[in-house]
Amino acid sequence: MKRLGAIFLLGTLSLSLLTGCGDKTGYAEDGYAEGRLGDTMHTYFFDYTVNSAYLCDTFEGYTPILDGYRLLVADVTVKNTNRESIPMYDTDFQVQWSDTSEDAYEFPITYYTDAVSDQQLPTEYDLAVDEERTGLLVFEVPEGETDFSISYLELFDDGTEEGSSGDTFFVYFTAEEQA
């Protein structure tokens, strides 16, 4: 009977250890975190999720400025998990593609022009404690690219102009043509 009790106790302990580990997707480890579409990324200041993304040639009448480029439209949800309101910018996020060159990234189109749709995340906004906001980020990306990541780099105010860098978060995905 003692043997059966010990086996039961070991089994219960093993199960509790396994469930205690949990899923670490979206949490930074050694300065880096990665996820996929639908995964929530947990930064120091907020959580964000890239809900979906698609490629198109035009969005709300806007076409890419550069020849050989298309538009990547990403639906993103941001939620303030901080203890106070935080200022947000759509340029907090950037897109990268599979090119290995150092300039294989871009900021949202609002870095260069005004928003073209009220569905886009504002260029600048305050996010109240526990407030959640969903909107679109629109990027110009090279034709032929389909594999992307949308990233966020934590920056902390340390009294210098640059600030100090924290963890970096990436959401990887393959974008399809708009249906």
Side-chain angles (χ1 to χ4, degrees), residues 3-98:
R3 178 183 243 165
L4 186 58
I7 291 172
F8 178 74
L9 182 62
L10 282 174
T12 304
L13 181 60
S14 297
L15 185 60
S16 68
L17 287 175
L18 287 174
T19 57
C21 292
D23 182 15
K24 297 294 184 190
T25 300
Y27 290 95
E29 195 170 298
D30 297 324
Y32 173 85
E34 73 175 58
R36 304 295 184 262
L37 285 180
D39 289 343
T40 299
M41 308 306 289
H42 306 281
T43 78
Y44 180 84
F45 305 102
F46 59 86
D47 289 350
Y48 79 96
T49 306
V50 180
N51 304 306
S52 63
Y54 64 87
L55 291 165
C56 60
D57 294 321
T58 185
F59 176 77
E60 299 287 330
Y62 179 86
T63 56
I65 296 170
L66 298 171
D67 288 336
Y69 276 67
R70 305 197 63 206
L71 298 175
L72 174 69
V73 180
D75 181 81
V76 177
T77 300
V78 182
K79 181 177 181 180
N80 182 350
T81 57
N82 206 338
R83 294 180 183 165
E84 57 189 43
S85 295
I86 55 174
M88 294 291 299
Y89 305 88
D90 63 348
T91 55
D92 286 337
F93 301 97
Q94 70 177 33
V95 67
Q96 294 79 221
W97 48 87
S98 59

Side-chain angles (χ1 to χ4, degrees), residues 83-144:
R83 294 180 183 165
E84 57 189 43
S85 295
I86 55 174
M88 294 291 299
Y89 305 88
D90 63 348
T91 55
D92 286 337
F93 301 97
Q94 70 177 33
V95 67
Q96 294 79 221
W97 48 87
S98 59
D99 189 336
T100 57
S101 65
E102 288 185 23
D103 62 350
Y105 70 93
E106 191 57 76
F107 292 104
I109 62 171
T110 54
Y111 187 74
Y112 308 101
T113 187
D114 293 331
V116 296
S117 168
D118 59 3
Q119 296 175 357
Q120 289 175 262
L121 284 172
T123 304
E124 182 178 345
Y125 57 100
D126 285 325
L127 203 56
V129 175
D130 288 329
E131 182 182 1
E132 181 176 285
R133 187 177 284 216
T134 299
L136 301 178
L137 295 173
V138 181
F139 303 93
E140 290 193 18
V141 296
E143 287 180 355

